[in-house]
Structures are given as structure tokens and as C-alpha cells.
Amino acid sequence: MAQHQKPVLVIGDKNYSSWSMRPWIAMTAGGIDFEETHVKLRTEETKATILRHSPSGTVPALKLGDVVVPESLAICEWAAENSKTGPLLPVDSVARAACRAASAEMHSGFATLRKECPMDILARETCHPISDACRSDIARIEALWENCRHHFGAGGPYLFGHFTIADAMFAPVVSRFITYGVHLLPESADYVAAASHHPAYQAWVAGAKLQVETGI
């Protein structure tokens, strides 16, 4: 990639696209200067528009010159390697492995939570029905968070103390817990409060509000 070219992150709607939220949060938290291309979802033109940017036909996609990286966790890893604000992965090798494992579990797991509690970052539903299978997903997430915080979280309010790609990967879950008023253990609620007040998270929410209000 030529030095003067900015990375371009292609994303879906900020109110709904959980996959887009993750790398956007990581890149923003990392102070990376990038351009943002928004593809409006759920229209007749959505698929064709995405394909003009990403051969996989999915968002997010990171355009690095002629190279396209169409995968959220890979983009988060790239952000960690190019962060301008400090490490987005733990320095310690054990903590770093645990961070990557937590990120990968979020990437591939919790299908019932995703289905029953889709991301709708501006909505608030206090009586949303949650199945036993979904509660099992929530319990596993809380246990994972507790384990990360117990072993590696002494240096700050995030899963590994300072903000990492694991926090970026779990940002949509944080939003789901807020949207659907999910009852959490006190330690989990504290983490949700900290994560949702991170400047990158707040900036994403502000962008979602703007898109909804303007119909962009």
C-alpha cells in the first residue's frame, strides 16, 4: 500500500451491523487514520454495492490499496499491529493468547444470543423474551469476562486491563445487553458500563444516531 493512501473501512449500518462495529471500534481506539465507506443495508442495491468493495460480498471489509481484508477479526488484528495509541493486544504472551482466544470465541460463538437479541443499538426493550439457550450463552459470556478480568484485568476496567481487540470484539454484545436490559452479575454490569463509555464506543453510537435521524 502506498504511504499516502489511507485505509478504507467499508461498513454497514451502525445501528445494526455488529460485524462492522468491531473493527471500527478497534481502528478508532487505535487512533488509526482511515476513511469510512457506508453501505446501507436491507435494500435492493445492498449486495451489488458491497460486491463493488468486497469480493466476499460481506461487510466489514478493509481496503489496503489493492488488497481487501473482508473479515472482522483479521481487521482487528491488523489494527492491533498498526495502533498509534498503544497496544491493542496484551504484551504478556499468556495474556495475549487469552485475548486472542476470547476474541475468537466471540467471533464464532453465541449464535442463539445473536439470533434472539439482534443488535439494535438505539433501541431499548425491557421485556424482551430470552430462551434458556440464550441464557446459557449469556452465562458463558459472563464467565469468560470474569476469567479475563480475574487473571488479566488489574491494570484497568477492560477485559485485559487496558483496551484490547477483545473489548472491540465484545462491543456488540455490550450493546445487546444494554438494548435488551439483560440482568447481569455486578462484575459484568461494571464491565458493560466501562466498555460502553469508551470514546470509540460512544463515537459509534453517535454515528448510529446520525444515520437513523438523517436516513443516510
Side-chain angles (χ1 to χ4, degrees):
M1 182 177 69
Q3 290 295 318
H4 67 277
Q5 285 185 287
K6 286 185 182 180
V8 178
L9 184 64
V10 184
I11 62 171
D13 300 335
K14 288 183 175 177
N15 196 46
Y16 304 114
S17 184
S18 59
W19 293 106
S20 298
M21 184 183 191
R22 295 178 172 107
W24 192 97
I25 292 279
M27 292 174 68
T28 301
I32 296 169
D33 186 18
F34 66 96
E35 295 181 4
E36 175 185 319
T37 297
H38 168 228
V39 177
K40 192 169 181 62
L41 304 178
R42 306 175 184 179
T43 75
E44 293 181 357
E45 296 80 26
T46 296
K47 190 68 173 181
T49 303
I50 292 174
L51 283 169
R52 287 200 291 271
H53 297 285
S54 171
S56 69
T58 60
V59 289
L62 179 63
K63 299 168 75 172
L64 300 168
D66 295 332
V67 176
V68 178
V69 182
E71 208 286 319
S72 61
L73 184 52
I75 300 170
C76 286
E77 287 275 359
W78 179 89
E81 294 178 359
N82 290 274
S83 173
K84 311 299 183 186
T85 59
L88 292 178
L89 283 168
V91 175
D92 176 75
S93 63
V94 175
R96 189 163 62 250
C99 180
R100 285 188 164 121
S103 299
E105 185 172 352
M106 178 64 257
H107 184 268
S108 62
F110 313 117
T112 305
L113 175 65
R114 299 177 199 268
K115 180 179 179 180
E116 293 188 14
C117 301
M119 193 170 97
D120 189 346
I121 207 164
L122 301 181
R124 295 294 181 269
E125 298 187 27
T126 56
C127 298
H128 189 76
I130 296 176
S131 69
D132 288 343
C134 187
R135 292 188 187 281
S136 179
D137 276 359
I138 293 167
R140 171 56 193 151
I141 290 169
E142 290 197 276
L144 189 156
W145 286 358
E146 193 280 330
N147 184 64
C148 293
R149 293 282 304 140
H150 174 73
H151 288 288
F152 308 110
Y158 304 110
L159 295 178
F160 291 84
H162 66 85
F163 193 89
T164 67
I165 65 170
D167 300 293
M169 289 298 293
F170 277 100
V173 168
V174 167
S175 81
R176 286 175 165 99
F177 288 170
I178 293 171
T179 291
Y180 298 103
V182 176
H183 179 73
L184 300 170
L185 298 171
E187 297 82 359
S188 299
D190 288 345
Y191 172 68
V192 166
S196 63
H197 282 85
H198 189 280
Y201 185 102
Q202 290 288 305
W204 178 271
V205 173
K209 289 179 179 177
L210 180 63
Q211 287 181 352
V212 170
E213 289 171 357
T214 60
I216 296 175

